Amino acid sequence: MASAKTSSRSRGTSVKENGTKLEDGLNVFKSDRFDADSYIQSKCSLNEKEIRLLCSYLLDLKRSSAEEMRKSVYANYAAFIRGGFFLLIADRTSKEISDLEGELSSIRNLLSTQATLIHGLAEGVNIDSLSLKASEGSMVNELLSNVEDGEPSDLEKWSVEFPDMLDVLLAERRVDEALAALDEGDRVAAEAKETESLSPGILRSLEMAITERRQKLADQLAEAACQPSTRSSELHAAISALKKLGDGARAHRLLLDAHLQRYQYNMQSLRPSSTSYGGAYTAALSQIVFSAIAQAASDSLAIFGKEREYRSELVMWATKQTEAFAVLVQRHALASSAAAGGLRAAAECVQIALGHCSLLEARGLALCPVLIKLFRPSVEQALNANIKRIEESTAALAAADDWVLTYPPTSTRQSGRSSVTSLGNAAVFQHKLTSSAHRFNLMVQDFFEDVGPLLSMQLGGQTLEGLFQVFNSYVNMLIKALPGSMEEEANFEGSGNKIVRMAETEAQQIALLANASLLADELLPRAAMKLAPMNQTNHKDDPRRRPLDRQNRHPEQREWRKRLVNSVDRLKDTFCRQHALDLIFTEDGDSHLSAEMYINMVGNADEVDWFPSPIYQELFVKLNGMAAIAAEMFVGRERFATLLLMRLTETVILWLSEDQSFWDDIEEGPRPLGPLGLHQACNSEIISFIFYLDMKFVMCFASQGRYLSRNLHRVVNEIISKAVAVLSATGMDPDRVLPEDEWFNEICQDAMERLSGKPKAIDGDREVNSPTASVSAQSISSVRSHGSS
C-alpha cells in the first residue's frame, strides 16, 4: 500500500512538472511576434531523436490532460448531479403544467357550450310557454268575463279544455287520434266563425292553439321518419300523417331521404377489393340501390299518387341515385376491365346493371338511358382495346402464315367439299381458310358473344365500323403478301410497318382471295347478325329463309357488307393487275402487247400458222390453271371464282383498249395496217387476221369458261371496230378481206384444244388453217354491229 501511494505521488509530481513545462511551451504561441511560418520551418528541421522527444512530450501532455479532467469531474460530481436532477424536475413540471392548461381550456370551452345550450333552451321554453300561456290565459280571461255576465256555454268550455286534450294525445304519440282531434278543432272553429257562437278572443285563441299543436305533431312525425330504426310500416304511417297535416312537400322529401339513408346503411357491408369479381359487386350493389329506388317509388305512388310535383321530384331523386351508383360501378368494376380490354367483363357488369335498372320501368322510371350514357365511355374503351387486340394478333399470325387453306383445327375433313357438322336442326359449315384467317374469324366470333350491352348502348354502328377497320387492315396485309405489290401499296394505313410473308405461288395468291372473300361474304356478316337480334324474331319459324337473307334487310348492315366487298375488290384488283402486268411486260420492261407484233407480220398466207398471239395463249393457259385451282378452293362459291377470272380477262383487254400508244402505232406506224395486219399484210393477196382472231379467241375461251361479261363483250367489240376503222382508212374494203365468223371459231376451238392438251379434231372437208372460205357480208355487218353496240 505504501509503495502504491508513493508511486501515485510520484505520478502526480510528474504530471505537475509536465504541466509546468507545458505552460512554458505555450508561451511561444502567446507572443505577439509569433511567426507561424518560421516556427514550422524550425520544427521541420528536427532530426530523428528530436522527433522522438516531441512524440514523448505529446503523450505526456495527453496523460496529464486526462488526469486533470478526471480530477475536475470528481471534485464537482455532487454539484453536477444536483444540477441534472433539477433540470429533469423542471422539464417534467413544465410538461405537466402545459397539459393541465390544455385540459383547463377544454373544460372552459365545454362549460361555455353547455351554458349557451341551457340558456337557449330556457329562452325557447319561456317563449313557447309564454305564448301558450298568453293565448290560453286570454281564453280563460275571456271565459271568466263571460262567467261574470252569465254561465259559459258548452262550446266555450270545450274550447278551453281542447288544447290540454291535444297535449295529452301528442305526449302519448296517439297520432291518429291527434289528427282526428285537429280535424274536429278545425271544424268547430270554422262553424263558430260562421255562427259567431264564440267570442273573437276565444276563437282566436282556439285557432292559435290548433296551429301550434299541428306544428308540434308535424315535428314529431318528421323526427320519427328520420330515425334509422323506424320500420317500413311506421315510416309509411308517419309520412301519410304528415301529408294529412298539409305538409306534403316536406313529407315526400322525408320519404326519399329515409330510403336513401337505409340503402346507404346497407351498402356499408359491401366492400369491394381489387381481387373481387366485378360482376358480383355490380350485382350486389344493383340489388341494394334499385330495390331502394323501387320501394321509394312504390311508397311515393301509394301515399302521394301520380301528382306531377311529387312524381317529378321522385324522378330527379332516382336519377341522382342512379348516377351515384354508376360512379361506384365505374370506379370498382368497369374501370379496371375497360383499361385491360376486358370487353366481356365490362359487358357483363353493364348487362347486370341494366337488367336491374330495367325492372324500374314497370314503376314508370326509365333510368336505363342514364346508365347507358355514364357507362358508354368505359365500354367504348374496352371495345377499342378488343378491336386493337384482334388486329395485332391477326397481324402477328399473318407474318408467319404459309397461305395454305386448311379446315379449322376442331373440324375433320370428310371429303373434298366443305365439312358439315350437324348441330340440332342447323348445319354449321366448316370452310377452309389459312391460319391467320382462322384466327381472325375465331376472335371475331368470340368478340360477338356478348353484344347485348353494345346494342342497348347504341354501339352497334361503332362496333361494325371497328370491325370493318380491322378487316380492311387485314386486307391491306393480304395485298402486301402479293409479289410486286410492295412498291405500289407500301404505305397502307395501319399496316405500313408490319411484316407479311409473301405468297409466291398462284395457289397461295388465290388463297389470299379465298380468305378475304369468305370472311366478307359469309363469316363476318353471320357474326354481325348478333347485332340485329330483332332479325331473328321475324320469320323464325320459316327454315327456308337463310340467316344472311334476314340480315340483309337492315340498311346499316347492308351498307357495311358493301364496304367489306369493296375492300375485297381492292385485293382482287391488285391481284388481277399484277398478273396482267406479268403477262404484258417482260422483266426488262418491254411489252408483249404492242403494235409491232401485228405491223411486222409479213409473209404468205400458206406459210402463216393461223394461231392466236402468244400473249393470248399465255392468258388462256393462266386462266385455265387458275380455274382449276379456284374450283378446288371455292367449293360452293363458284361465282366468286368466275368473277375473279372475269376481272383478270377484263384487265388485260382494257389495257389494250386504253393503250393509246398501241393505237397510234397502228394508225401511224411505218407500215399502215393492211390485210395481214388485221392481221396485217404488205401484200394484198396475203390475208392475215391475227388481230381479229385474237379478239375472237378471247371471246371464245371466255364464253366457254363462263366468264364472258357484258363489259368484256363490249370492250372486245369496240377494239374490233377500231381495227376495222383503221383497215378501212387504208383504202381496203373489209367486206372483201374478212371471212366468215365460222372460220375464226374453228381456229379458236382448235387453239383451245391444242393449248389444253386435247387431241386435235380431224376435219376431212377442209383445212382450218387456210382461209379459203368466201367473205361473208353478213359476217362483216355482224362485226360492225358488235362494234356499235
Side-chain angles (χ1 to χ4, degrees):
M1 292 293 290
S3 62
K5 292 180 179 179
T6 303
S7 63
S8 175
R9 282 195 299 269
S10 64
R11 284 197 300 270
T13 304
S14 176
V15 169
K16 290 180 179 179
E17 292 175 355
N18 290 335
T20 304
K21 293 180 181 179
L22 179 62
E23 286 285 340
D24 297 337
L26 292 176
N27 291 330
V28 178
F29 300 100
K30 296 178 179 179
S31 173
D32 296 335
R33 292 177 294 176
F34 173 73
D35 188 357
D37 293 335
S38 300
Y39 181 79
I40 294 298
Q41 291 293 333
S42 65
K43 295 300 180 183
C44 289
S45 60
L46 295 176
N47 55 25
E48 182 179 357
K49 183 177 180 179
E50 291 173 340
I51 292 173
R52 290 179 182 274
L53 290 174
L54 180 62
C55 290
S56 177
Y57 170 70
L58 291 175
L59 290 174
D60 291 340
L61 182 62
K62 181 180 178 181
R63 283 193 293 270
S64 63
S65 175
E67 184 67 19
E68 287 294 330
M69 175 67 72
R70 185 178 64 80
K71 287 183 177 182
S72 177
V73 170
Y74 286 160
N76 301 292
Y77 186 74
F80 175 77
I81 293 299
R82 285 195 300 272
F85 177 74
F86 287 137
L87 288 175
L88 180 63
I89 294 297
D91 180 67
R92 188 174 298 172
T93 303
S94 175
K95 184 177 180 181
E96 291 177 354
I97 292 172
S98 177
D99 294 341
L100 184 59
E101 288 178 350
E103 293 179 0
L104 290 174
S105 177
S106 300
I107 293 173
R108 187 183 302 108
N109 293 335
L110 182 61
L111 291 174
S112 175
T113 302
Q114 290 179 347
T116 302
L117 180 62
I118 291 171
H119 286 301
L121 292 174
E123 291 175 0
V125 170
N126 289 335
I127 293 172
D128 291 341
S129 59
L130 287 174
S131 61
L132 289 174
K133 289 179 180 178
S135 61
E136 293 171 5
S138 62
M139 185 185 300
V140 172
N141 293 333
E142 187 76 19
L143 183 61
L144 290 175
S145 62
N146 292 338
V147 169
E148 294 176 357
D149 298 337
E151 184 69 20
S153 64
D154 294 338
L155 182 59
E156 291 174 341
K157 293 179 181 179
W158 180 88
S159 299
V160 174
E161 297 172 356
F162 180 71
D164 296 333
M165 180 188 66
L166 280 179
D167 289 339
V168 173
L169 295 177
L170 293 177
E172 297 178 358
R173 298 192 179 273
R174 293 153 62 180
V175 177
D176 293 337
E177 296 180 26
L179 288 173
L182 288 172
D183 292 339
E184 183 181 2
D186 290 335
R187 179 183 58 79
V188 170
E191 292 179 355
K193 192 173 184 179
E194 292 178 358
T195 59
E196 297 181 357
S197 54
L198 289 176
S199 63
I202 295 178
L203 180 60
R204 185 170 54 256
S205 299
L206 177 62
E207 291 176 345
M208 185 179 297
I210 292 174
T211 301
E212 291 171 351
R213 269 66 175 188
R214 187 184 300 278
Q215 183 62 43
K216 188 175 181 181
L217 177 59
D219 293 340
Q220 286 184 358
L221 294 173
E223 181 182 0
C226 294
Q227 296 298 323
S229 58
T230 304
R231 292 175 296 180
S232 298
S233 57
E234 295 174 349
L235 174 65
H236 194 280
I239 298 300
S240 299
L242 191 57
K243 180 177 179 295
K244 291 178 181 178
L245 288 174
D247 200 354
R250 182 185 184 189
H252 195 261
R253 186 170 58 256
L254 288 172
L255 173 65
L256 299 180
D257 290 344
H259 283 289
L260 173 61
Q261 187 178 17
R262 289 184 179 186
Y263 93 70
Q264 287 179 342
Y265 175 79
N266 293 332
M267 284 173 54
Q268 294 178 1
S269 60
L270 195 60
R271 299 293 182 186
S273 65
S274 58
T275 59
S276 62
Y277 172 51
Y281 173 77
T282 305
L285 186 62
S286 300
Q287 179 69 29
I288 294 174
V289 174
F290 293 114
S291 295
I293 295 176
Q295 187 61 47
S298 298
D299 291 346
S300 176
L301 182 63
I303 299 174
F304 299 94
K306 296 183 178 180
E307 296 184 31
R308 180 176 300 178
E309 178 185 356
Y310 303 125
R311 196 67 182 170
S312 177
E313 185 179 13
L314 173 65
V315 170
M316 293 176 63
W317 178 83
T319 301
K320 183 178 180 180
Q321 307 315 314
T322 303
E323 291 173 350
F325 161 80
V327 170
L328 291 176
V329 173
Q330 182 90 5
R331 181 186 307 159
H332 299 297
L334 275 183
S336 57
S337 299
L343 179 60
R344 179 168 295 181
E348 185 175 357
C349 292
V350 173
Q351 190 71 22
I352 291 172
L354 291 177
H356 284 84
C357 186
S358 62
L359 298 178
L360 297 176
E361 294 179 1
R363 292 176 169 82
L365 294 175
L367 300 175
C368 288
V370 177
L371 284 182
I372 290 173
K373 179 181 178 182
L374 296 172
F375 287 158
R376 187 183 180 101
S378 295
V379 177
E380 284 181 344
Q381 183 182 1
L383 173 65
N384 294 332
N386 264 263
I387 291 174
K388 187 67 175 178
R389 179 172 56 86
I390 294 175
E391 180 180 355
E392 293 176 350
S393 178
T394 306
L397 285 174
D401 200 333
D402 56 4
W403 307 120
V404 176
L405 297 180
T406 59
Y407 288 107
T410 56
S411 65
T412 57
R413 182 175 176 177
Q414 301 294 336
S415 63
R417 300 183 62 83
S418 299
S419 63
V420 182
T421 304
S422 177
L423 184 63
N425 295 327
V428 180
F429 290 87
Q430 300 289 350
H431 295 282
K432 295 176 69 175
L433 296 168
T434 67
S435 59
S436 61
H438 275 307
R439 178 61 179 168
F440 181 83
N441 179 47
L442 289 175
M443 294 183 73
V444 169
Q445 301 295 334
D446 183 66
F447 173 76
F448 278 105
E449 283 299 320
D450 299 292
V451 295
L454 301 181
L455 289 174
S456 59
M457 301 180 74
Q458 300 176 356
L459 287 174
Q462 184 172 340
T463 303
L464 290 178
E465 178 62 26
L467 185 58
F468 168 75
Q469 295 299 334
V470 173
F471 176 74
N472 195 53
S473 176
Y474 182 60
V475 170
N476 290 341
M477 298 185 67
L478 297 181
I479 292 175
K480 289 182 65 176
L482 291 172
S485 64
M486 298 300 293
E487 295 80 6
E488 299 179 12
E489 311 290 350
N491 294 317
F492 282 119
E493 183 180 354
S495 65
N497 298 325
K498 296 176 182 175
I499 301 174
V500 184
R501 185 171 180 175
M502 300 304 295
E504 302 292 344
T505 65
E506 287 186 355
Q508 289 177 323
Q509 294 167 20
I510 295 177
L512 302 179
L513 292 164
N515 283 345
S517 64
L518 184 58
L519 288 170
D521 292 341
E522 296 188 30
L523 299 180
L524 296 186
R526 185 178 295 126
M529 284 176 59
K530 297 177 183 178
L531 287 175
M534 294 304 295
N535 260 350
Q536 302 174 7
T537 59
N538 298 330
H539 308 284
K540 64 181 180 180
D541 297 329
D542 187 358
R544 295 172 297 178
R545 290 186 66 89
R546 295 182 59 191
L548 289 180
D549 293 337
R550 297 198 298 270
Q551 180 266 345
N552 286 337
R553 292 185 297 106
H554 283 252
E556 183 179 7
Q557 293 201 4
R558 189 162 57 243
E559 182 62 27
W560 176 74
R561 189 176 179 187
K562 287 180 181 179
R563 296 176 67 193
L564 295 180
V565 173
N566 291 337
S567 187
V568 177
D569 286 342
R570 288 195 302 108
L571 174 62
K572 190 189 301 182
D573 290 341
T574 305
F575 173 86
C576 294
R577 183 169 59 253
Q578 292 300 324
H579 282 275
L581 293 175
D582 290 342
L583 283 171
I584 296 172
F585 293 98
T586 65
E587 294 182 358
D588 299 331
D590 298 330
S591 176
H592 291 300
L593 188 60
S594 64
E596 295 296 326
M597 69 180 189
Y598 297 110
I599 295 175
N600 294 332
M601 286 184 177
V602 180
N604 192 297
D606 295 333
E607 298 174 356
V608 177
D609 183 14
W610 300 108
F611 213 69
S613 301
I615 185 173
Y616 296 106
Q617 297 178 35
E618 293 181 19
L619 177 61
F620 172 74
V621 172
K622 181 180 284 289
L623 290 172
N624 269 3
M626 288 186 178
I629 297 173
E632 181 180 354
M633 291 187 179
F634 296 95
V635 177
R637 296 187 297 124
E638 290 78 7
R639 175 172 172 75
F640 182 84
T642 300
L643 293 175
L644 175 63
L645 300 176
M646 188 182 299
R647 183 73 63 87
L648 178 56
T649 309
E650 289 178 357
T651 303
V652 176
I653 302 304
L654 283 172
W655 184 280
L656 173 63
S657 175
E658 298 173 357
D659 188 0
Q660 190 60 40
S661 62
F662 174 87
W663 294 105
D664 291 343
D665 292 342
I666 288 292
E667 296 173 357
E668 303 172 3
R671 291 187 300 275
L673 186 64
L676 225 164
L678 225 210
H679 297 279
Q680 170 173 4
C682 286
N683 189 336
S684 59
E685 296 179 355
I686 301 175
I687 303 177
S688 176
F689 315 104
I690 301 299
F691 190 87
Y692 189 84
L693 176 61
D694 287 342
M695 296 301 102
K696 292 296 291 185
F697 180 62
V698 171
M699 294 185 67
C700 284
F701 69 67
S703 177
Q704 185 177 11
R706 296 183 179 179
Y707 44 87
L708 178 60
S709 65
R710 292 182 180 179
N711 187 43
L712 177 61
H713 192 277
R714 177 185 59 81
V715 173
V716 169
N717 285 333
E718 289 177 355
I719 292 174
I720 292 175
S721 298
K722 283 184 180 181
V724 170
V726 172
L727 181 60
S728 300
T730 62
M732 296 184 183
D733 185 5
D735 294 345
R736 297 180 55 212
V737 173
L738 296 176
E740 296 180 357
D741 287 345
E742 293 165 354
W743 183 84
F744 289 104
N745 292 336
E746 291 178 4
I747 294 292
C748 293
Q749 189 63 36
D750 178 64
M752 287 188 291
E753 291 175 355
R754 289 167 61 182
L755 293 172
S756 300
K758 297 180 180 178
K760 184 177 179 180
I762 299 175
D763 190 348
D765 296 336
R766 64 176 179 174
E767 295 182 8
V768 295
N769 288 343
S770 178
T772 57
S774 61
V775 177
S776 170
Q778 182 180 1
S779 172
I780 300 300
S781 64
S782 68
V783 171
R784 292 173 177 168
S785 64
H786 286 321
S788 61
S789 61

